[in-house]
Amino acid sequence: MAERRRDERGGREVGEGAQAVGEPWRRRVRPEEAQAWGELVATARRTVSDGLVVGTSGNVSVRVGDIVLVTPSGVPYDRLTPDDTVGADLEGRQVLGTLLPTSELPMHLAVYRSTDARAVVHTHAVHATAVSTLVPELPSIHYMSGALGGPVRVAPYATYGTEELAENMLQALADRSACLLQNHGTIAYGASLDQAFDRTAQLEWMCRLWLTASSVPGLSPTLLSGEQVAEAGERLRGYGQRG
């Protein structure tokens, strides 16, 4: 078990090496927030186990009412406990926890304020990040682009944690549920943590597919037309079991 230290202002213990905010949480965690936090931590750990992030890179959030629960800054996901719940309102004011939220909080909040997202996953997945340095848009190598709303755009580079990055991301996300961040990584959102994670994984897979197909000397991969991607997107709306 990781060693703990006590925050003198809040009177509670926090993980060793974690940064603590200057004042204690403003209210207790509600049952629905506690459940969502557990699901968030499980998703964050899955991004590591599935190779989508290294160390503490990337971050995950989930919306519960008007509160956004988000992974804290610089804390390994395997150390997170129910006592480490971090939450902010949609204006960015921290209302839960003593650990600092991720530096990418502005990007997460921009998604929630502009879309119907209930969860957001941001990663530094290697193939997706590689593609973000090569093209302004992921070539339509597979019909699963339709599941993300169409060809995946690349948001121009901006320093991490800035409002400029959040604005660039929103433009790339217009009518899409995922985009690439130039020289940075990916961001995807969904109606649940599972959906946001699955979209992230699909995006990384498509980037790996395009890089693989493009690496064959003397050959270029066949790409789908905009109409073909749109048709697939319509069919994918009804994919899966009903009920």
Side-chain angles (χ1 to χ4, degrees):
M1 180 180 295
E3 293 183 15
R4 314 294 289 179
R5 63 181 174 80
R6 184 169 296 275
D7 175 42
E8 295 179 356
R9 293 175 181 169
R12 82 175 189 92
E13 295 177 341
V14 297
E16 181 185 27
Q19 292 177 295
V21 297
E23 56 188 71
W25 67 75
R26 294 167 178 78
R27 65 168 175 79
R28 293 184 179 278
V29 177
R30 295 166 180 158
E32 62 271 23
E33 293 165 342
Q35 179 178 346
W37 177 254
E39 295 169 356
L40 178 151
V41 171
T43 300
R45 290 173 178 169
R46 190 178 174 192
T47 65
V48 176
S49 64
D50 283 17
L52 297 173
V53 304
V54 176
T56 60
S57 66
N59 25 78
V60 179
S61 68
V62 62
R63 181 172 177 175
V64 182
D66 290 332
I67 301 302
V68 174
L69 305 180
V70 64
T71 48
S73 177
V75 181
Y77 299 144
D78 61 0
R79 294 189 186 182
L80 292 176
T81 73
D83 292 334
D84 296 321
T85 305
V86 175
D89 64 20
L90 293 174
E91 300 305 314
R93 292 181 291 264
Q94 186 164 353
V95 297
L96 292 172
T98 58
L99 299 180
L100 289 172
T102 172
S103 58
E104 297 289 14
L105 181 60
M107 194 163 59
H108 288 256
L109 294 179
V111 174
Y112 291 115
R113 290 195 295 257
S114 303
T115 72
D116 59 356
R118 307 305 296 182
V120 175
V121 174
H122 165 52
T123 78
H124 295 176
V126 63
H127 298 95
T129 304
V131 170
S132 79
T133 71
L134 298 172
V135 291
E137 180 179 280
L138 172 64
S140 297
I141 189 72
H142 196 274
Y143 66 78
M144 283 304 292
S145 294
L148 303 179
V152 178
R153 307 183 187 102
V154 178
Y157 180 80
T159 304
Y160 78 92
T162 62
E163 293 294 341
E164 181 184 4
L165 175 59
E167 180 58 33
N168 291 350
M169 172 207 66
L170 284 182
Q171 293 183 28
L173 278 179
D175 301 317
R176 303 287 188 270
S177 56
C179 74
L180 299 175
L181 306 171
Q182 190 178 60
N183 295 87
H184 187 155
T186 72
I187 193 160
Y189 70 86
S192 66
L193 284 162
D194 282 345
Q195 186 177 57
F197 180 89
D198 289 344
R199 287 172 170 171
T200 301
Q202 285 286 353
L203 177 54
E204 168 67 356
W205 178 81
M206 285 190 292
C207 288
R208 182 178 182 183
L209 176 63
W210 180 71
L211 288 171
T212 301
S214 299
S215 68
V216 179
L219 296 176
S220 298
T222 300
L223 301 177
L224 300 177
S225 68
E227 292 76 14
Q228 289 171 320
V229 172
E231 180 182 2
E234 286 298 319
R235 292 179 64 88
L236 286 166
R237 293 179 191 275
Y239 178 77
Q241 301 298 315
R242 294 173 176 79

